[in-house]
Amino acid sequence: MRIEGRGLVDRGQTLGFRFDGRDYVGHPGDTLASALLANGVRLIGRSFKYHRPRGVLTAGAEEPNALVEILEEGQHTPNVRATVQELYQGLAARSQNRFPSLGFDLLAVNDLAAPFLSVGFYYKTFMWPRHFWEGLYEPLIRRAAGLGTLSKRHDEADYEKAFAFCDLLVIGAGPAGLAAALEAGRAGADVILCDEDARMGGRLLSETLTLDDAPAVDWVMAALAELAALPNVRLMPRTTVTGAYDQGTFGALERVGLHLHLPARPHLPRECFWRIVARRAILAAGALERPIAFQNNDRPGIMLASAVRSYLNRYGVTPGRRVTVFANNDEARRTAHDLMAAGVPVAAIIDSRPHSSAVEDCPVYTGAAVIDSRGRRGLSQITVRHGGGISMIETDCLAVSGGWNPTLHLTSHMGGRPLWNEALAGFVPAPNAVPGLAPAGAAAGVMSTAGCLASGQRAAREVLEALGRKAPGLPLPAAEDAPYVIEPLWSVPGTGGRWARAWLDFANDVTVKDVGLAARENFASVEHMKRYTTQGMAPDQGKNSNVAALAVLADATGRTIAETGTTTFRPPYTPVSIAAIGAGGRGAGFAPQRLLTSHQASVERGAPMIEAGLWYRPSYFPRPGEATWRDACDREVRMVRGAVGVCDVSTLGKIDIQGADAARFLDLVYANTFSTLPVGRVRYGLMLREDGHVMDDGTTARLGEAHYLTTTTTAAAGQVMRHLDFVHQAFCADWDLRFISVTESWAQIAVAGPKARALLASVLDTMPDLPFMGCAGVGVQGVKGRLFRISFSGELGYEIAVPARYGEALFRDLLARAETMGGGAYGMEALNVLRIEKGLLTHAEIHGRVTAFDVGMERMLGAKDCIGKGPSRRPGLLGPDREQMVGLRPLDPEQALSSGAHLFVPGETVERVNDQGYTTSACWSPTLNSWLALGFLKDGRARHGQTLRLVDHLRGIDVLCEVCDPVFHDREGGKLRA
Amino acid sequence: MRLTCPLCGPRDRREFYYYGADDYLHRPAPDAPPAAWDDYLHNRDNPAGMLRDLWYHEAGCGQWLAVSRNTVSHDITAVECVAPLRPARKKAVRNED
Amino acid sequence: MPELIAKTPLSGLWPVTHGALSLSEVVYDSILSLAPFAGQEKVLTKALKPLGLAFPAPNTLAVSGVARIVWTGRDQAFLINAPLATPSAAITDQSDGWAGLRLEGPMAAEALMRLVPIDLRSSAFPPGSAARAPLNHMNAVVMRLESGFEVMVFRSMARSAWTEIAETMQRVAARQALR
């Protein structure tokens, strides 16, 4: 019900909205919760486990009950807290966790079965019979579990991530935060002020306090106007700082366009996840009020005393027509005062403290407690136990306050343990829990308005001093400075009993009795109790139940609260959508796409692209009449072997190495020797890791006396660069040596096949007479290029490099010419077949567990030292027990082989103990008309000619093979030297 | 987490590649016995406290850095270039304050 | 014999504008990497003098007419739009290895700070600043000139970089429209 003349909502405008299919009206400035309460809607959801009727408990982000689904066109968002969701025109929401309707919920039978659903029920009940678990129990539990539903459609909306930097991050824009931001902002510091609320001001928006004898809201408006005008201050409303991380990094979730208006604006991100780097931070996140546990304390209509004030003073709504206040502290009496001032009848104040004041304009019961409540879908009556006996009070709203917990969650994110403060009956942040972050105001346990303002200003002054800035020292407004007087009351004694339940954790339905049971079953550590009872594990993470629960646990285990301690708060403070954390990473944004200069030309020819690292390379080039990739691949292989093929190999890493010590450096990083390589020649090189295993291979050309060009495999280019940088900087930084990647500078195209020379001669200005493994500078239609006579196919082969800007033109030109010669383009599939036929390595073979010995190249390691040499000779890395690289051919050439298959001696059982080795690559060879495989076999080099069984259970392959040399094609290498 | 690269300045952890403890800087002689290589390659302390380890500024300047940090408090006390910088420059800088 | 046609890394893409932000390709005449050999720094500085440039300090760039020199790493700088021949430094031609993207407009820093994890506001990154930093997952050289930002990424990733920046501009512009 609205109260005239109260609140900050804009009564001049109305907003239509819908909840569970019924239409309502609210105003700008409302939350969904305030608008529902204004319309008299009290029942908003069903609880998780018992499906108990629930209403609004709080007026903030800590809400455990009022979780709803927001419906949008085709999409819906579950678990939205109605207490923070701003109202907008056309908002549609529905309640959760009920079937078929909120008013009549079938699973409410759980509530009747509650004695059997006590804590630990899953663990105790679903143990036997064992085989029931998969078929019956798990599906049943899964159906009952979970809160809200998903649309199961892709979220196509925009999300954003962003980085921000500041001198001072102020977290929370209540009195302490505003005072801090003003002080630091006026001093010229670079300030970011974040607040999770759409409207800044914190509790000052919800109280009838005055600052300098004017309404507190006036001061808030003036402060915000001043801050907004300062160029060095950035105001970030709707932004929750969710985590504190090392070296002053904070995570923050900004709700940008999320559920702000309809229709959603194009490209406006729903949310933005900020990484804020702050030299200093002030935690002015305030405090959260906590309820008191008593029997049936979870009915709609029972809410926090501060929330009642928020709805009254900020939204102009009274949650009840006849309100009762139940508290253990002075502050909650403001609720009664504000209600009465607004003309709302207050039935009584029930103060648990025996010696508290009884002088009010309404009945006061001191030393009293609420012991039960009634009302099926909402509160109608409470039972009060007091000095004079037991009374029933008719009331439709009970405002409860068990005191306040400082919002110290961020101070725990780096392992800080909060400290128990007896006077506050609450935990306060441990000092220096997060380096550079200072709690201020209520978050630091300062509970008066004047205290909060001063605390915020003081924290800012300390920051300014650390930053070397002068504090402006402007006076603060005069404000209330009442002492905070509280006597702890966590749960009302004597309301237990077999059927009685007093709720601690509303979201996860954890009662006082559950915590007691956990203690009796020896889950006495607070962390164990949490996991056993699920207390604090719901979306609200127990923001208003943790402290009471551990107080009950302390009582049950005969310890103090300080001894019991608290569970660890971890990021995020409130839930963060994965979409926001992973913003930009969807679809093509997942990783950059590296495209060859020939990409478009390959796509035009219908080549499917295959990913190689970040690169996209053509898989094969289909021609009319070819039904499968194999048809194209076989043709391309025959084309290279019979005529000429063209393949873009620009993806290979290229590193330019210069300097007087370049040769010496290559000798150190490669197993073999490059100082002896003549200028104008190319040599194959094997690079070892420091542990003696093969890291990579490639060719290196000597372009000049002190100038080399080394190539890496496509996949390992980054790793090799990192390795070279390490070896250089760690072991020989004083050598005269410079190197840099030139991978992207050159388009490099392989031309392979008997007609390769003829094709190149038609393109080059002058065709040099290069020997095998020779290189030279060439002119390509006037463009300066490089020609290398190297081969990865076993045929006469060249690689021609031109500056990348000419790559596409050269590729198209070579292709057109090759096609007139019976040749054409070949893709990755054919390239792989060609190299398997020739027994050449890729990372399928040098997969990280093989040594130079394993691949038959140990003789490359000469007398000189090199990275990996010493460890490559360790025991166990040499000798017949090693799996050595071999070739494999099926006895029946038509029988398919696979990579990843294992090798066994025929007659022995196929099990691990008999494993002789495995295959790494396999293909159909159109050249040899047989399936071929490469693999590693124990003592393989001594076993050529033996017959082995190749088994691949995954693909149903079981084939007899002959072991042979890994080079299947042109073993003498005559074709290379043609 | 942030590291202050002696060349680039304070940077986010995402720019760095992690290698391991700085034992990798102390390469045994080529003919050292297998035990020395095992120590170099595999055997590591796991201190609760100060550790010096190696990071590569992969998305930045390509420097290998030796980072002195506390594994308990996460405090970073020094970030140094593995390769000594030219004498004109400071050898080590404190991490950002 | 047909001549080889040169293509820029972002050929076929026209400048885009969203709100007050505009993105276009920058084509550099040449990019040379300069890495002075041990003890040759002074000789290199002398060789650069006729160009009105000096070897840059870390995280900076200098402009002289159309020529520019940009710090790109330890003992390494890119000389843009100027020739140089000197035995004092290892020189490689990087002209074809990089794509240049120019981002202009009053919100350019805010837009780039959605992709680059460093402080690019003019207080921390004024004109004359240069940084090696990632642009999302791409290694990049970020430069600030009087006219705005220029970002260099590997040629092969140019289109990914373009798309990511353009989409970011759209989102920033949509936020601006909200105000």
Side-chain angles (χ1 to χ4, degrees):
Chain A
M1 192 176 71
R2 294 278 179 195
I3 303 288
E4 281 313 311
R6 290 256 165 183
L8 307 173
V9 300
D10 179 3
R11 301 277 180 94
Q13 291 184 57
T14 58
L15 300 171
F17 71 102
R18 190 166 250 262
F19 177 67
D20 274 351
R22 287 187 61 179
D23 290 317
Y24 301 97
V25 168
H27 303 287
D30 263 328
T31 61
L32 176 58
S34 71
L36 284 170
L37 289 170
N39 283 282
V41 179
R42 294 203 291 169
L43 173 59
I44 293 183
R46 290 269 175 176
S47 73
F48 178 60
K49 188 170 161 189
Y50 300 124
H51 291 248
R52 302 257 299 183
R54 292 285 168 81
V56 173
L57 181 72
T58 74
E62 71 275 26
E63 176 64 31
N65 285 343
L67 306 182
V68 299
E69 284 173 19
I70 299 290
L71 310 173
E72 293 153 283
E73 211 171 294
Q75 280 290 6
H76 57 258
T77 311
N79 296 323
V80 174
R81 290 151 292 177
T83 49
V84 297
Q85 175 59 54
E86 300 106 300
L87 201 66
Y88 56 86
Q89 176 61 39
L91 183 152
R94 86 179 158 213
S95 55
Q96 296 186 161
N97 216 37
R98 83 290 190 275
F99 179 82
S101 74
L102 188 56
F104 176 72
D105 179 8
L106 286 174
L107 273 172
V109 298
N110 281 2
D111 198 30
L112 300 175
F116 312 104
L117 293 174
S118 65
V119 64
F121 153 79
Y122 292 98
Y123 313 123
K124 292 166 184 164
T125 309
F126 297 115
M127 295 296 290
W128 41 261
R130 248 177 105 171
H131 63 273
F132 271 33
W133 176 252
E134 255 181 43
L136 182 65
Y137 295 149
E138 192 190 347
L140 270 177
I141 292 171
R142 283 197 186 284
R143 198 173 310 158
L147 208 50
T149 58
L150 294 170
S151 70
K152 298 187 178 169
R153 285 174 51 171
H154 285 287
D155 184 352
E156 304 289 350
D158 274 59
Y159 290 85
E160 194 178 46
K161 67 174 183 219
F163 302 90
F165 300 81
C166 60
D167 290 335
L168 173 64
L169 170 66
V170 181
I171 302 158
L178 286 173
L182 279 173
E183 189 74 1
R186 285 167 178 162
D190 186 10
V191 177
I192 292 178
L193 175 60
C194 290
D195 195 284
E196 63 184 354
D197 205 316
R199 183 158 182 176
M200 290 187 165
R203 282 304 300 172
L204 295 179
L205 304 178
S206 293
E207 306 286 359
T208 49
L209 301 168
T210 57
L211 294 182
D212 275 348
D213 297 325
V217 176
D218 295 356
W219 181 82
V220 171
M221 302 290 278
L224 289 172
E226 181 181 347
L227 290 169
L230 288 171
N232 52 315
V233 176
R234 185 165 179 176
L235 300 178
M236 295 178 68
R238 304 185 104 222
T239 304
T240 308
V241 177
T242 56
Y245 306 91
D246 289 319
Q247 279 81 42
T249 305
F250 294 84
L253 183 71
E254 180 190 11
R255 292 169 288 134
V256 186
L258 178 71
H259 305 145
L260 193 59
H261 38 55
L262 283 170
R265 307 219 173 141
H267 306 299
L268 183 68
R270 282 161 76 85
E271 294 175 306
C272 178
F273 193 71
W274 290 88
R275 277 89 170 169
I276 301 173
V277 179
R279 297 174 70 187
R280 288 288 190 278
I282 292 175
L283 179 67
L288 298 174
E289 200 168 24
R290 57 201 183 206
I292 297 169
F294 59 87
Q295 182 165 328
N296 293 317
N297 62 332
D298 65 330
R299 290 191 202 284
I302 301 179
M303 55 173 64
L304 294 173
S306 61
V308 172
R309 291 204 297 283
S310 291
Y311 290 114
L312 180 69
N313 298 326
R314 177 168 172 184
Y315 302 104
V317 174
T318 175
R321 289 166 197 278
R322 190 175 145 81
V323 182
T324 312
V325 175
F326 173 33
N328 64 353
N329 59 76
D330 284 352
E331 198 196 46
R333 295 201 179 191
R334 276 193 211 152
T335 307
H337 301 161
D338 289 353
L339 286 164
M340 288 187 282
V344 181
V346 174
I349 294 172
I350 298 144
D351 196 319
S352 63
R353 299 168 299 171
H355 305 295
S356 56
S357 162
V359 183
E360 297 285 357
D361 294 337
C362 64
V364 178
Y365 298 89
T366 60
V370 179
I371 58 170
D372 200 359
S373 77
R374 281 169 184 255
R376 205 165 74 81
R377 289 183 204 165
L379 181 70
S380 59
Q381 188 190 66
I382 56 171
T383 310
V384 180
R385 184 180 62 207
H386 49 87
I390 286 175
S391 302
M392 307 293 196
I393 297 176
E394 301 299 315
T395 185
D396 60 349
C397 175
L398 180 66
V400 182
S401 175
W404 293 80
N405 293 325
T407 308
L408 49 71
H409 302 68
L410 260 62
T411 67
S412 290
H413 286 182
M414 286 170 65
R417 289 273 168 189
L419 305 173
W420 181 251
N421 182 310
E422 207 69 52
L424 288 173
F427 284 96
V428 293
N432 303 315
V434 172
L437 177 127
V446 179
M447 293 301 181
S448 74
T449 309
C452 284
L453 291 164
S455 164
Q457 189 182 58
R458 192 163 54 244
R461 285 183 180 168
E462 280 162 18
V463 169
L464 291 171
E465 194 181 335
L467 298 175
R469 284 181 186 273
K470 203 170 162 328
L474 291 170
L476 289 169
E480 64 85 19
D481 201 9
Y484 179 70
V485 184
I486 180 173
E487 288 174 26
L489 175 65
W490 309 107
S491 73
V492 175
T495 62
R498 184 170 169 78
W499 296 91
R501 281 168 298 162
W503 264 262
L504 289 166
D505 184 332
F506 293 83
N508 260 359
D509 271 342
V510 180
T511 64
V512 172
K513 202 166 60 176
D514 292 332
V515 173
L517 181 62
R520 284 203 301 283
E521 296 186 358
N522 205 28
F523 294 95
S525 144
V526 64
E527 299 286 357
H528 291 161
M529 179 276 286
K530 167 181 171 171
R531 281 150 188 86
Y532 193 53
T533 62
T534 72
Q535 188 280 321
M537 288 165 68
D540 71 317
Q541 291 284 290
K543 286 193 177 58
N544 41 40
S545 63
N546 279 342
V547 176
L550 66 90
V552 170
L553 180 70
D555 190 44
T557 55
R559 295 172 295 179
T560 64
I561 293 173
E563 284 165 353
T564 305
T566 175
T567 52
T568 313
F569 300 112
R570 295 192 182 82
Y573 171 66
T574 49
V576 180
S577 65
I578 299 292
I581 292 177
R586 204 169 47 200
F590 178 68
Q593 296 177 328
R594 299 185 80 172
L595 303 183
L596 291 158
T597 54
S598 62
H599 186 82
Q600 189 55 35
S602 296
V603 169
E604 283 168 17
R605 279 162 198 271
M609 289 289 161
I610 186 169
E611 290 176 50
L614 297 177
W615 288 98
Y616 285 71
R617 305 186 73 179
S619 197
Y620 54 94
F621 292 83
R623 283 190 184 171
E626 291 173 346
T628 68
W629 69 268
R630 261 282 304 283
D631 292 345
C633 175
D634 289 356
R635 178 202 19 95
E636 289 170 17
V637 171
R638 284 193 295 268
M639 189 180 76
V640 172
R641 299 266 180 244
V644 63
V646 172
C647 180
D648 193 333
V649 293
S650 309
T651 59
L652 293 183
K654 310 174 198 71
I655 301 168
D656 183 284
I657 305 177
Q658 301 184 39
D661 290 318
R664 200 175 156 201
F665 182 66
L666 286 168
D667 284 352
L668 178 61
V669 295
Y670 275 105
N672 46 323
T673 308
F674 283 91
S675 50
T676 55
L677 181 70
V679 173
R681 297 303 292 264
V682 186
R683 185 171 282 170
Y684 174 80
L686 196 67
M687 191 176 281
L688 304 185
R689 291 196 311 243
E690 193 67 274
D691 66 0
H693 291 79
V694 179
M695 173 187 281
D696 197 38
D697 69 347
T699 59
T700 296
R702 192 165 197 171
L703 303 178
E705 196 53 45
H707 190 183
Y708 289 83
L709 180 70
T710 195
T711 65
T712 75
T713 58
T714 301
Q719 184 193 1
V720 168
M721 195 66 187
R722 190 161 67 216
H723 175 66
L724 296 188
D725 272 336
F726 183 75
V727 173
H728 178 219
Q729 293 172 30
F731 304 137
C732 52
D734 54 336
W735 292 6
D736 197 5
L737 169 74
R738 297 287 181 257
F739 54 87
I740 186 169
S741 168
V742 291
T743 304
E744 298 266 354
S745 298
W746 299 90
Q748 192 150 317
I749 297 165
V751 179
K755 296 180 182 173
R757 187 180 288 122
L759 172 55
L760 279 167
S762 73
V763 175
L764 299 182
D765 300 343
T766 316
M767 179 69 190
D769 184 20
L770 284 182
F772 178 56
M773 300 303 267
C775 68
V778 289
V780 191
Q781 297 159 30
V783 172
K784 275 190 184 172
R786 288 168 176 167
L787 186 67
F788 308 88
R789 186 169 165 190
I790 52 180
S791 172
F792 197 58
S793 61
E795 296 303 319
L796 168 67
Y798 295 87
E799 289 183 12
I800 170 87
V802 290
R805 72 185 70 180
Y806 303 110
E808 180 177 348
L810 179 63
F811 184 79
R812 287 181 188 274
D813 188 23
L814 285 170
L815 217 54
R817 289 166 196 268
E819 281 164 358
T820 66
M821 300 165 79
Y826 64 101
M828 288 302 97
E829 297 295 348
L831 181 138
N832 194 41
V833 172
L834 291 162
R835 70 96 194 168
I836 292 174
E837 290 177 343
K838 187 65 184 169
L840 295 165
L841 307 180
T842 64
H843 278 282
E845 282 70 42
I846 47 175
H847 53 53
R849 292 197 299 120
V850 306
T851 64
F853 175 83
D854 298 340
V855 293
M857 296 188 189
E858 76 279 12
R859 275 181 305 184
M860 278 191 176
L861 283 93
K864 67 174 181 68
D865 181 28
C866 72
I867 298 293
K869 182 177 176 181
S872 74
R873 294 172 177 170
R874 285 178 296 167
L877 293 184
L878 298 166
D881 284 346
R882 292 296 295 177
E883 289 163 340
Q884 301 160 3
M885 189 166 143
V886 293
L888 294 156
R889 293 180 74 150
L891 300 188
D892 170 3
E894 298 285 337
Q895 282 201 291
L897 306 182
S898 65
S899 59
H902 280 254
L903 304 170
F904 298 90
V905 174
E908 291 190 346
T909 53
V910 177
E911 53 185 338
R912 195 185 56 79
V913 287
N914 293 327
D915 189 19
Q916 298 293 302
Y918 56 93
T919 58
T920 50
S921 303
C923 70
W924 167 258
S925 163
T927 313
L928 297 151
N929 282 314
S930 170
W931 279 86
L932 306 174
L934 297 174
F936 289 85
L937 174 66
K938 273 180 193 153
D939 200 20
R941 285 193 284 274
R943 295 170 76 175
H944 291 183
Q946 285 186 14
T947 298
L948 289 178
R949 198 174 151 194
L950 181 151
V951 182
D952 180 344
H953 282 150
L954 279 178
R955 298 180 186 82
I957 289 173
D958 192 338
V959 182
L960 289 175
C961 289
E962 186 193 325
V963 180
C964 60
D965 189 278
V967 183
F968 301 97
H969 173 71
D970 187 31
R971 201 160 299 155
E972 299 71 36
K975 287 173 186 288
L976 294 170
R977 294 176 175 80
Chain B
M1 178 178 177
R2 293 172 69 75
L3 293 173
T4 299
C5 171
L7 289 181
C8 299
R11 294 295 184 96
D12 190 87
R13 182 255 173 274
R14 75 193 58 213
E15 299 189 18
F16 299 90
Y17 170 88
Y18 181 70
Y19 191 22
D22 73 345
D23 299 49
Y24 283 121
L25 295 177
H26 312 294
R27 196 167 168 258
D31 55 354
W37 286 104
D38 276 347
D39 280 344
Y40 173 64
L41 293 168
H42 306 301
N43 297 330
R44 293 291 180 270
D45 292 332
N46 184 20
M50 288 308 297
L51 175 70
R52 194 164 177 263
D53 51 12
L54 300 170
W55 298 73
Y56 180 55
H57 198 183
E58 186 153 43
C61 63
Q63 283 296 288
W64 276 95
L65 306 172
V67 176
S68 302
R69 64 190 180 94
N70 189 310
T71 58
V72 177
S73 69
H74 297 192
D75 194 25
I76 295 170
T77 47
V79 183
E80 300 156 89
C81 287
V82 158
L85 290 172
R86 280 196 296 273
R89 292 193 199 119
K90 274 193 291 184
K91 228 181 161 184
V93 293
R94 268 193 64 80
N95 210 47
E96 63 185 308
D97 58 358
Chain C
M1 186 174 289
E3 269 195 32
L4 293 182
I5 300 161
K7 277 199 172 178
T8 66
L10 289 162
S11 64
L13 291 176
W14 301 104
V16 295
T17 300
H18 294 294
L21 286 164
S22 62
L23 177 68
S24 55
E25 181 179 11
V26 200
V27 179
Y28 304 108
D29 288 343
S30 68
I31 305 169
L32 299 179
S33 74
L34 310 182
F37 289 120
Q40 297 288 302
E41 292 84 357
K42 280 184 185 161
V43 185
L44 177 59
T45 295
K46 204 174 281 178
L48 285 166
K49 211 164 182 189
L51 298 170
L53 297 169
F55 196 80
N59 307 307
T60 67
L61 62 82
V63 176
S64 168
V66 295
R68 186 191 308 176
I69 193 160
V70 186
W71 181 85
T72 54
R74 179 196 174 94
D75 298 324
Q76 192 194 87
F78 282 2
L79 178 63
I80 295 176
N81 294 343
L84 187 73
T86 167
S88 62
I91 297 179
T92 68
D93 190 343
Q94 298 277 333
S95 313
D96 291 66
W98 297 85
L101 297 92
R102 178 180 288 138
L103 181 63
E104 290 162 305
M107 295 290 287
E110 281 74 8
L112 268 186
M113 284 170 71
R114 280 156 168 76
L115 298 166
V116 180
I118 62 175
D119 193 350
L120 295 173
R121 295 174 302 163
S122 48
S123 51
F125 202 77
S129 300
R132 290 303 298 254
L135 178 89
N136 215 352
H137 298 289
M138 291 165 265
N139 281 12
V141 181
V142 182
M143 296 171 276
R144 188 169 204 159
L145 303 146
E146 296 294 345
S147 57
F149 287 95
E150 289 181 18
V151 179
M152 283 167 48
V153 297
F154 287 149
R155 180 188 191 103
S156 65
M157 302 185 190
R159 277 157 211 273
S160 285
W162 179 276
T163 305
E164 291 191 7
I165 294 175
E167 287 177 357
T168 302
M169 290 161 59
Q170 275 185 328
R171 291 193 274 267
V172 170
R175 273 171 172 270
Q176 283 298 101
L178 205 61
R179 293 193 180 158

